[in-house]
Amino acid sequence: MKKQPKRLATSVALAIGVTLAGSSAFAQSVDTARIDAGGQNDWLTYHGSYKSYHYSPLAQINPSNVANLGVAWIHIPGRSTRGLQSMPLVADGVLYYTGSYSRVFALNGATGEVIWSYFPELDDALIARQTHSPYNRGVAIGEGKVYVGTMDGRLIALDMKSGKLLWDTKLIDSQKLTVGFTGAPLYAKGTVVIGAQGGEWPGRGPIFGVDPTTGKKKWEFLTVAGTDDATKTWGNDSWRTGGGGGWMPGTYDSETGTIWWGTANPAPLYDWSGGDYKTQGARPGDNLYTSSVIGLDVDTGKLKFYHQELPHDAWDFDSAVGEFVMLDRDGQKLVVHPNKSGYIFVYDRSANVKNVWRITENSNFVKNIDPKTGELIGRRDFAAGKVSEPLCPHISGGVSFNAGSYNPKTGLYYKLGQEWCMTLEVLKTTPVVAPQAQLNIGADFKIAPPPSGEIYGHLDARDPVTGAKKWEVRFPEPPLASVLSTGGNLVFVPDSRGTIHAYDAESGTELWNHSDGTGHQGGIVSYAVNGKQYIAVTAGFGGMASDDYAPTFGGVYKSMPRDDGALIVYSLK
């Protein structure tokens, strides 16, 4: 492993900023207390802080001047196979983000100048055999280090100042299990936490806690049959090929020392048990702890609590969405968690259900979910063969991994919903586990319009606890990127066609837009350097969900590049 020279990354500075001196660019340490508090000028973890608001309090850019927003600088990471999905982080004026193949960049947040870059040496032959490769969704920072996972099963720590490799720990035998890491890690209280990708492969969905100083594994929690009680929920020893990866970063509750994490679907993804799923099919039983929200002790990795949102998930509407919005409401400490099904779960701080509401119109995998208990009502389970009625939503989800945003000033939760369905044929499959585990979906499927008409996406402004809607903006195709709201009363949405939009946070009125030239499926953040506010967004199409856009929607998607990407940073002119 070696650090690559700066010349391997291309940075285009389109405006003059303030150069960061080496001594001042890394002025403060990033620790648990600082992340917990959140930063006025920074973006210190995947959702900004442990509260997971995905919100910036910065207000320099606001409705009165957003029309003057223009490109400040652009960075081209290179080799952006299947586009960019990274969420940038910013600390003390330095922006950190990843490209495909876990390439890591540290950039001057004002000018885009490359401070350092690091390209890990990877097992390219292995990665070429992996269905979900080679994208990466970001890094974690803490204790003077930048942490990144790799598709071949490693967690790497780099020095924040120099990019020097500090340790490189192999956590997964990816040659045997195929899976690695695509999601960002989470740093909290002297532990780096990361979950394996995917729920469609044989495996047990490990989540790891790693010592940030030494790189040694502190603990490992198996999301598939991770306890004796959970093992009993997998009939016929089906836990041996179970799935369940926690592929997106969760968050940390500092008051209780608890890591909140979401887990993926079991394998095979689609089961042929029909209504007898408790005793029949490929994986009889509820399949704990897949498609669940779990609470782990940050020091030991021991399970503290859980709620299985979808017992025996037969639809791939898993709970691995890493969004856990921590709210204080009417004397209650609540957690808001979206599920891929389009249902939004509201919990107390021990994962007891307080409410469940739905953001999508088109949903028929169940008739409803009980808002008081979280129990599934009128579930659809499939036998082998063609399913007569399309399944809604589509496998990509009523919501996906892209983050919504909670604005504490407006009290509104801004979240994208996706209205699409799919035709489905369930197949009986035999798990392939040797010499290398193979993808095990258990169905053929194709995107389809919902019964209500055309496929579309929508941005909703809602009460996060009750789900009451204040306003909605519709998009002709489902947007796949994250949402940002700010203290300047703005909501930013990067859409799939390649346009970034700014809306009034109170009314939903569009105030500004700009084309980035290619579709968005990654992160968006805001930060400030020397008193100037910036908006940073990743652009670059071509992932698991966006692969369907060209054949389904045609138009601009037919000519949209699939293997390039850029980080585009805006500021006021």
Side-chain angles (χ1 to χ4, degrees), residues 40-41 56-62 65 69-70 72 109 484-488 490 492 525-536 569-572:
Q40 175 79 17
N41 299 320
S56 170
L58 294 170
Q60 184 180 85
I61 303 168
N62 56 61
N65 59 24
L69 207 58
L484 168 71
S485 67
T486 70
L490 295 171
F492 291 89
V525 304
S526 187
Y527 63 94
V529 183
N530 291 338
K532 187 168 188 176
Q533 183 181 359
Y534 298 86
I535 307 291
V569 178
Y570 292 88
S571 66
L572 293 173

Side-chain angles (χ1 to χ4, degrees), residues 99 158 169 369 424 480 528 561 564:
L158 309 171
T169 300
I369 297 180
L424 181 68
L480 297 174
D564 69 356

Side-chain angles (χ1 to χ4, degrees), residues 142-165:
E143 298 190 16
K145 303 176 185 68
V146 179
Y147 310 95
V148 64
T150 69
M151 284 295 299
D152 53 3
R154 294 143 54 203
L155 182 64
I156 291 172
L158 309 171
D159 182 85
M160 284 182 71
K161 293 183 180 180
S162 65
K164 177 183 177 182
L165 176 67

Side-chain angles (χ1 to χ4, degrees), residues 4-263:
Q4 302 296 324
K6 295 177 184 177
R7 58 184 170 80
L8 290 180
T10 304
S11 182
V12 183
L14 301 181
I16 298 175
V18 180
T19 301
L20 301 176
S23 59
S24 62
F26 309 89
Q28 306 174 50
S29 64
V30 177
D31 57 17
T32 304
R34 184 175 171 189
I35 297 173
D36 203 22
Q40 175 79 17
N41 299 320
D42 302 317
W43 197 277
L44 299 175
T45 192
Y46 190 91
H47 293 295
S49 75
Y50 297 136
K51 290 182 178 179
S52 298
Y53 287 0
H54 212 88
Y55 161 83
S56 170
L58 294 170
Q60 184 180 85
I61 303 168
N62 56 61
S64 69
N65 59 24
V66 69
N68 297 323
L69 207 58
V71 175
W73 54 267
I74 298 173
H75 178 259
I76 309 295
R79 205 186 181 200
S80 296
T81 305
R82 306 192 80 180
L84 288 180
Q85 298 189 19
S86 178
M87 184 72 68
L89 302 188
V90 184
D92 304 310
V94 179
L95 184 149
Y96 306 88
Y97 88 112
T98 56
S100 299
Y101 305 96
S102 300
R103 294 181 169 197
V104 185
F105 302 91
L107 309 174
N108 182 313
T111 67
E113 177 188 1
V114 178
I115 299 171
W116 56 259
S117 61
Y118 181 87
F119 298 174
E121 295 176 1
L122 301 173
D123 185 336
D124 288 337
L126 168 66
I127 290 173
R129 298 194 297 270
Q130 293 176 317
T131 307
H132 288 42
S133 64
Y135 49 75
N136 183 277
R137 290 175 177 146
V139 299
I141 54 178
E143 298 190 16
K145 303 176 185 68
V146 179
Y147 310 95
V148 64
T150 69
M151 284 295 299
D152 53 3
R154 294 143 54 203
L155 182 64
I156 291 172
L158 309 171
D159 182 85
M160 284 182 71
K161 293 183 180 180
S162 65
K164 177 183 177 182
L165 176 67
L166 298 177
W167 49 257
D168 184 335
T169 300
K170 184 74 169 178
L171 293 172
I172 299 176
D173 183 357
S174 297
Q175 284 289 355
K176 179 180 179 181
L177 296 176
T178 305
V179 299
F181 302 114
T182 54
L186 174 75
Y187 168 81
K189 197 193 172 190
T191 304
V192 185
V193 185
I194 192 167
Q197 71 177 117
E200 293 81 46
W201 286 271
R204 298 184 67 186
I207 299 171
F208 299 95
V210 177
D211 186 295
T213 302
T214 65
K216 292 182 179 180
K217 184 174 73 173
K218 296 174 63 175
W219 52 260
E220 177 178 354
F221 181 81
L222 299 174
T223 68
V224 171
T227 65
D228 290 341
D229 287 342
T231 304
K232 298 174 185 177
T233 67
W234 294 81
N236 303 329
D237 285 342
S238 56
W239 58 267
R240 298 182 184 277
T241 55
W247 43 272
M248 286 297 290
T251 196
Y252 176 60
D253 182 354
S254 60
E255 293 183 15
T256 62
T258 304
I259 296 292
W260 284 71
W261 214 268
T263 70

